[in-house]
């Protein structure tokens, strides 16, 4: 009995543990932990990076009205114009990779996708993470700190991981962020050609990173301890959302002319992957977001500077396949 108990405990402790059906991976947690969320996924970020379009995703359409939010890759036109994607308030917002309107924002209530991380509408936050405060926004300060202080986005993600009760600090988060400086990237071709977007930097990163001052955004992303992602060898759980290189793809190394998006020095202790829609003036809450109020869709770099933020954080209980549209 003791041997069987130990064996079960060991299986439960594997971040890449997958059910017999192959459709989910559970992320273990200690007893007495806060409410947790089951995250739904279409495809895998690993396939996106390698330009793989599996047959079951070649005609996959995501209904943005069916959940709270989602991110990874998509387009309402079809796979050929897919770029960064984030869904909010019943709309899918995507960054066009069509040469005719490169990096223009496309939107509709649906999008084609080969990969998406989805937060169900009924998921309840484990906690709220606040950085700074609205009363500090005018002076640009972070509560309790000198007005000149700015928190790096990587630090905000690390704070969310430290607060998470899930194994490896696995967490997804969404909310409004005011960036004093947003560093971001937008790919320049749809990742559907069977080649690594990092190997073919000339094709997929042919435009320099974006630098925006004073950008208000709605963000959705995920983060976890790097070692917990690396232990997901089969890519059944966290490896479907997080990957090495996502944290600094538009950061100071790229701005300084680094050899490429994945050549960013030593691996950070926390991996994070975040997309953002930049909001027009007057759009201040998630429920206010509409096609007229979105100015762009971006992949956020970890060295972006945060003036203030209010994020709903969801400790991850499991990663499961998204079955609906």
């Amino acid at each position: 009995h003791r041997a069987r108990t130990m064996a079960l405990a060991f299986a439960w402790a594997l971040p890449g543990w997958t059910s017999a059906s192959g459709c989910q991976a559970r992320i273990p947690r200690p007893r007495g932990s806060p409410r947790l969320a089951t995250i739904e996924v279409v495809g895998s970020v690993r396939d996106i990076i390698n330009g793989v379009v599996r047959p079951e995703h070649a005609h996959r359409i995501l209904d943005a009205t069916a959940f709270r939010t989602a991110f990874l890759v998509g387009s309402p036109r079809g796979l050929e114009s897919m770029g960064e994607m984030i869904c909010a308030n019943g709309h899918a917002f995507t960054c066009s990779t069509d040469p005719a309107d490169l990096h223009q924002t496309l939107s509709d209530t649906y999008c084609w996708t080969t990969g998406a991380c989805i937060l169900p509408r009924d998921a309840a936050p484990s906690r709220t993470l606040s950085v700074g405060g609205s009363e500090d926004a005018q002076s640009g300060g972070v509560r309790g700190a000198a007005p000149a202080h700015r928190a790096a986005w990587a630090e905000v993600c690390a704070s969310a991981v430290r607060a998470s009760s899930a194994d490896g600090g696995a967490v997804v988060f969404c909310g409004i962020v005011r960036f004093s400086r947003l560093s971001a990237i937008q790919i320049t071709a749809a990742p559907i050609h069977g080649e690594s977007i990092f190997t073919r930097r000339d094709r997929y990163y042919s435009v320099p990173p974006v630098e925006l001052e004073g950008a208000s955004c709605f963000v959705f992303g995920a983060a976890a301890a790097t070692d917990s992602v690396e232990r997901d060898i089969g890519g059944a759980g966290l490896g479907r959302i997080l990957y090495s290189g996502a944290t600094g793809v538009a950061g100071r190394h790229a701005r300084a002319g680094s050899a490429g998006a994945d050549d960013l020095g030593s691996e950070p202790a926390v991996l994070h992957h975040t997309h953002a829609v930049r909001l027009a003036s007057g759009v201040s809450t998630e429920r206010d977001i509409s096609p007229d109020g979105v100015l762009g869709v971006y992949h956020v770099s970890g060295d972006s500077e945060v003036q203030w933020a209010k994020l709903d954080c969801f400790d991850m209980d499991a990663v499961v396949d998204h079955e609906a549209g």
Side-chain angles (χ1 to χ4, degrees), residues 28-204:
R29 66 187 192 275
R31 293 180 179 178
S33 59
R35 61 186 65 168
L36 303 179
T38 295
I39 304 305
E40 300 176 3
V41 177
V42 172
S44 167
V45 72
R46 298 182 184 185
D47 282 347
I48 295 172
I49 290 170
N50 292 307
V52 175
V53 180
R54 298 188 183 276
E56 61 268 29
H57 302 140
H59 304 285
R60 188 66 182 266
I61 296 178
L62 202 61
D63 178 5
T65 68
F67 43 80
R68 178 171 174 181
T69 183
F71 84 113
L72 284 185
V73 67
S75 170
R77 292 180 183 167
L79 302 190
E80 294 78 10
S81 59
M82 288 197 311
E84 290 81 7
M85 175 271 286
I86 184 169
C87 297
N89 200 28
H91 289 85
F93 301 98
T94 72
C95 183
S96 175
T97 54
D98 187 330
D101 56 4
L102 184 65
H103 292 170
Q104 294 297 305
T105 301
L106 309 178
S107 64
D108 213 315
T109 57
Y110 64 92
C111 67
W112 273 263
T113 186
T114 58
C117 170
I118 299 162
L119 179 65
R121 191 179 301 281
D122 60 356
S126 306
R127 70 192 57 80
T128 298
L129 174 63
S130 295
V131 177
S134 58
E135 65 267 35
D136 299 311
Q138 296 299 319
S139 63
V142 174
R143 189 190 308 275
H149 176 75
R150 297 293 186 272
W153 180 243
E155 296 172 1
V156 175
C157 295
S159 295
V161 168
R162 287 193 296 268
S164 174
S165 64
D167 181 65
V171 62
V172 296
F173 42 79
C174 63
I176 303 295
V177 179
R178 173 73 173 182
F179 291 99
S180 54
R181 178 179 57 78
L182 173 64
S183 296
I185 198 76
Q186 297 165 305
I187 59 173
T188 50
I192 59 173
H193 302 290
E195 57 190 4
S196 167
I197 63 174
F198 292 152
T199 301
R200 287 295 311 275
R201 304 176 184 108
D202 58 319
R203 182 174 191 174
Y204 297 95

Side-chain angles (χ1 to χ4, degrees), residues 176-300:
I176 303 295
V177 179
R178 173 73 173 182
F179 291 99
S180 54
R181 178 179 57 78
L182 173 64
S183 296
I185 198 76
Q186 297 165 305
I187 59 173
T188 50
I192 59 173
H193 302 290
E195 57 190 4
S196 167
I197 63 174
F198 292 152
T199 301
R200 287 295 311 275
R201 304 176 184 108
D202 58 319
R203 182 174 191 174
Y204 297 95
Y205 294 100
S206 61
V207 173
V210 174
E211 294 278 353
L212 298 171
E213 302 292 329
S216 293
C217 298
F218 173 79
V219 306
F220 180 39
T226 298
D227 60 354
S228 67
V229 180
E230 291 175 344
R231 292 199 306 271
D232 183 16
I233 298 172
L238 296 175
R240 298 179 71 179
I241 307 167
L242 295 168
Y243 64 96
S244 176
T247 58
V249 69
R252 63 180 66 90
H253 293 75
R255 290 199 307 278
S258 169
D262 56 349
D263 181 19
L264 297 170
S266 60
E267 191 68 79
V270 170
L271 291 181
H272 54 87
H273 185 187
T274 310
H275 285 187
V277 287
R278 183 162 64 101
L279 304 175
S281 177
V283 181
S284 58
T285 68
E286 185 177 344
R287 63 178 175 271
D288 294 332
I289 298 173
S290 69
D292 291 338
V294 169
L295 304 177
V297 187
Y298 307 94
H299 174 113
V300 180

